[in-house]
Amino acid sequence: MIIGNGLIASSLKNIDSEEHLFFASGVSNSLETRSSEFEREFSLLQDSIGKNPGSKLVYFSTLSVNDQSKQDSHYVLHKLKLEEYIRNHASSHLILRIGNIVGKGGNPNTLFNFLKNQILNDKQFTVHSKARRLLLDIDDIPAFLNTSCLHIKNETINFAFPYYYDLKEIINAIQEQIRKEADYRESNEGDFYQVEFGETANMFFRENSPEKYLKTLAEKYI
């Protein structure tokens, strides 16, 4: 069973089964502050676990829980609260903490969508030169689950391509694909957080290089 109708939920249709409860619904905006939005996701999660006691729960969290600069954000605190609830109330579960998703459609504020739209619309934007991002092809989520970890029980896995992309690397890949230069200025700001990727995630991406992975993302989704 799949709970949700967004980008992640849509990507899971081919691996849906009665044995698994894929919870892909809830707050997607990391800047959200309204308590009502967080409470709605929490209530839906509680209800879903209660109605499906025999199913293995697969929950999609975020790698930003590792970001020390965001430890007081409503979004991160909410995700950590739900992770803890799952560990205490779902007898069989898998928590997948994911990076910056790249796919067709979805949230216009995701990194790839934002940069693409700024460039296409000739809008100037600021690039924080010290920032780095962990990217993830939406198609890798069902592939990873299906081939590597649906058998794993009661674990939390960090999942994204294990390379910290400079924002200018990403912009250059998008520019090359749409054959248009970006209008941006650089600011000596930004940071990034270290994530420990386990063997399961590293093995999944072992045949990809950072350059190849980024080029593939640009060709597929730009």
Side-chain angles (χ1 to χ4, degrees), residues 78-91:
H78 168 71
K79 286 296 186 183
L80 289 172
K81 175 184 175 181
L82 266 60
E83 286 188 10
E84 188 64 20
Y85 183 86
I86 289 167
R87 294 186 187 102
N88 291 330
H89 293 86
S91 59

Side-chain angles (χ1 to χ4, degrees), residues 101-103 110-121 125 127 135 165-184 211 213-222:
I101 292 177
V102 185
T110 58
L111 181 62
F112 249 61
N113 285 343
F114 171 79
L115 293 174
K116 177 185 70 174
N117 291 333
Q118 295 299 101
I119 297 171
L120 286 174
N121 294 314
F125 58 96
V127 171
L135 302 179
Y165 285 100
D166 181 300
L167 292 179
K168 290 193 291 184
E169 289 181 276
I170 301 171
I171 291 169
N172 288 338
I174 296 174
Q175 287 181 145
E176 183 176 333
Q177 194 63 31
I178 63 178
R179 302 184 184 279
K180 189 173 185 179
E181 288 194 9
D183 180 12
Y184 66 89
E211 296 80 11
Y213 194 75
L214 180 57
K215 182 178 181 181
T216 298
L217 288 176
E219 290 176 346
K220 284 179 69 174
Y221 301 119
I222 298 299

Side-chain angles (χ1 to χ4, degrees), residues 18-30:
E18 294 182 1
E19 294 80 20
H20 296 93
L21 173 63
F22 296 103
F23 193 89
S25 177
V27 179
S28 59
N29 182 2
S30 62

Side-chain angles (χ1 to χ4, degrees), residues 7 9 11 13 16 48 53 59 85 107 124 168 183 192 195 214 216-217 222:
L7 191 60
S11 75
K13 290 179 179 179
D16 191 14
S48 299
Y59 180 73
Y85 183 86
N107 189 339
Q124 188 182 72
K168 290 193 291 184
D183 180 12
F192 64 98
V195 175
L214 180 57
T216 298
L217 288 176
I222 298 299

Side-chain angles (χ1 to χ4, degrees), residues 152-204:
I152 295 174
K153 181 179 178 180
N154 300 346
E155 289 191 20
T156 300
I157 296 177
N158 295 326
F159 185 56
F161 187 78
Y163 175 82
Y164 298 87
Y165 285 100
D166 181 300
L167 292 179
K168 290 193 291 184
E169 289 181 276
I170 301 171
I171 291 169
N172 288 338
I174 296 174
Q175 287 181 145
E176 183 176 333
Q177 194 63 31
I178 63 178
R179 302 184 184 279
K180 189 173 185 179
E181 288 194 9
D183 180 12
Y184 66 89
R185 63 181 183 85
E186 291 188 59
S187 174
N188 191 31
E189 300 177 76
D191 55 16
F192 64 98
Y193 50 92
Q194 294 286 345
V195 175
E196 183 177 344
F197 292 101
E199 182 180 357
T200 306
N202 284 323
M203 285 295 291
F204 180 81

